[in-house]
Amino acid sequence: MATPVVTAEGFATYLEQAATGRSDVAVSNVRRIVGGASRVTYSLDARWSEGGATTEAGLIVRLDPPASLLDSNREHEYAAYRGMTDSDVPVPAALWIEDDASWFDGPFFVMQRIDGCETAPQRLMAPPFDAVAGRIGVELFEIAGRISGFDWAKGGWEFLESIEADRCWERELDRWTNVIERHRSDAQPIVRAAIDWMRRHPPPPAQRVAVVHGDYRTGNVLVDPSGAIQGVLDWEMCHLGDPIEDLAWTCMPNWRWGRPKMYGGFLEPTEALGTWERSSGLHVDPEAFHWWSLFAHVKAQGIWLTGARNFAEGEADAVNLPGISLQLSPIEDRGIMALLGWHEVAP
């Protein structure tokens, strides 16, 4: 299966034909954004006339790839963006979703592009963003708390599977255990030992069943030069569950970007957790945080193994997929060993 390709001519034709009333369509500056784990992503500029008015917009096109690090649902992701619109969690506006794969060799959705921001962690750690690092960190954990406190029951989130507070852990552990068993090419003894331990020592029930982003971290937020977060990206793994799951993922060592003692790469642990507690209205139960921190490494291992398996079976030709697995799988093993107290290296 070929990787979808968006062209200026093709997208202009889509804009003209997919909805009546548009004319004088022009599309420019089409470029692929590399680095995403679950979608093929393009950025472009578009202009069109409709209803007597001219619209100019920067757009993002997210297409289903042949294979990736994740198996995820495009419609699910689009619905999450729509569901968070007009909330206190900033997201790009989701504009259109298209199931007809003939346009660009794959179905896709289109959303607003938020300009003037940075998302790459390495750049957020460097000038000029280093001068506002504290604000970035506070925003990161405040918004995490807002996601945990979001009132999903008011409607628009029916696409998410319901779950009881005392079963959140089991469903997610089952889900990622199945991913690992399906994609592993070797025994994975450390991960399987962690899974066994987690089943014997379940965490406390969730204090609140909440929207869990699933990949909320530095690298999936758009930050402006003042340090304010203008958009939260990559909702393809969102689900209802224990909000401590999201918090532990945000805090895990993988996402500290060379600052091992700073959660998210920006805040001391006490400040990070305190900020989240004030924003969410919940408390960080140490037992729950430890369990979900261990789960974060198991889940990450599942993601890396998926990418490697897709490459090995010829479903994807991106050489970075097995490379990521080779590089990061040992990190997950070490994180698991530390959290289980198997050696002296701190998590």
Side-chain angles (χ1 to χ4, degrees), residues 104-302:
F104 307 114
D105 295 323
F108 60 92
F109 70 85
V110 183
M111 63 184 184
Q112 166 200 17
R113 188 182 70 216
I114 298 176
D115 293 327
C117 293
E118 183 56 71
T119 186
Q122 295 82 355
R123 293 175 184 169
L124 291 174
M125 304 294 164
F129 294 96
D130 60 341
V132 291
R135 180 177 181 182
I136 296 172
V138 169
E139 290 251 332
L140 184 72
F141 285 93
E142 280 187 348
I143 292 172
R146 289 183 221 157
I147 295 172
S148 297
F150 176 76
D151 183 11
W152 56 271
K154 66 183 180 181
W157 292 83
E158 293 81 6
F159 64 97
L160 296 184
E161 178 187 358
S162 62
I163 188 72
E164 298 298 323
D166 62 347
R167 308 315 296 173
C168 295
W169 70 271
E170 187 174 32
R171 186 187 63 185
E172 290 309 302
L173 187 58
D174 286 348
R175 176 179 297 169
W176 288 97
T177 299
N178 290 336
V179 168
I180 290 167
E181 287 303 307
R182 191 164 66 248
H183 293 103
R184 66 183 179 88
S185 58
D186 56 17
Q188 291 293 319
I190 294 175
V191 170
R192 295 177 77 177
I195 291 169
D196 290 344
W197 184 93
M198 295 165 76
R199 292 198 187 281
R200 295 194 307 271
H201 303 86
Q207 299 165 61
R208 170 195 299 154
V209 174
V211 172
V212 175
H213 178 281
D215 195 15
Y216 185 79
R217 59 180 175 82
T218 306
N220 279 339
V221 294
L222 291 165
V223 182
D224 72 20
S226 75
I229 293 175
Q230 299 297 336
V232 179
L233 306 176
D234 291 359
W235 290 81
E236 60 266 27
M237 289 196 287
C238 77
H239 55 278
L240 296 180
D242 189 332
I244 302 292
E245 177 190 344
D246 250 358
L247 178 65
W249 182 263
T250 307
C251 296
M252 72 184 297
N254 302 48
W255 319 131
R256 298 179 194 174
W257 309 107
R259 299 175 176 178
K261 297 183 179 181
M262 307 291 277
Y263 282 179
F266 293 106
L267 292 185
E268 297 281 352
T270 300
E271 184 179 5
L273 300 183
T275 300
W276 182 87
E277 287 183 326
R278 289 187 293 273
S279 179
S280 68
L282 304 173
H283 71 278
V284 181
D285 180 278
E287 184 181 347
F289 188 72
H290 177 268
W291 193 97
W292 286 107
S293 296
L294 188 57
F295 170 81
H297 289 286
V298 171
K299 173 180 171 179
Q301 194 74 297

Side-chain angles (χ1 to χ4, degrees), residues 34-45:
V34 298
S38 62
R39 297 279 179 268
V40 176
T41 303
Y42 280 84
S43 169
L44 56 86
D45 296 321

Side-chain angles (χ1 to χ4, degrees), residues 312-329:
E313 294 184 350
E315 295 181 16
D317 57 7
V319 295
N320 67 317
L321 295 180
I324 289 171
S325 182
L326 287 170
Q327 179 184 6
L328 297 182
S329 288

Side-chain angles (χ1 to χ4, degrees), residues 15-38:
L15 285 179
E16 289 173 344
Q17 297 183 5
T20 59
R22 295 190 190 122
S23 60
D24 301 320
V25 175
V27 176
S28 59
N29 299 323
V30 178
R31 65 181 181 89
R32 182 173 175 183
I33 300 174
V34 298
S38 62

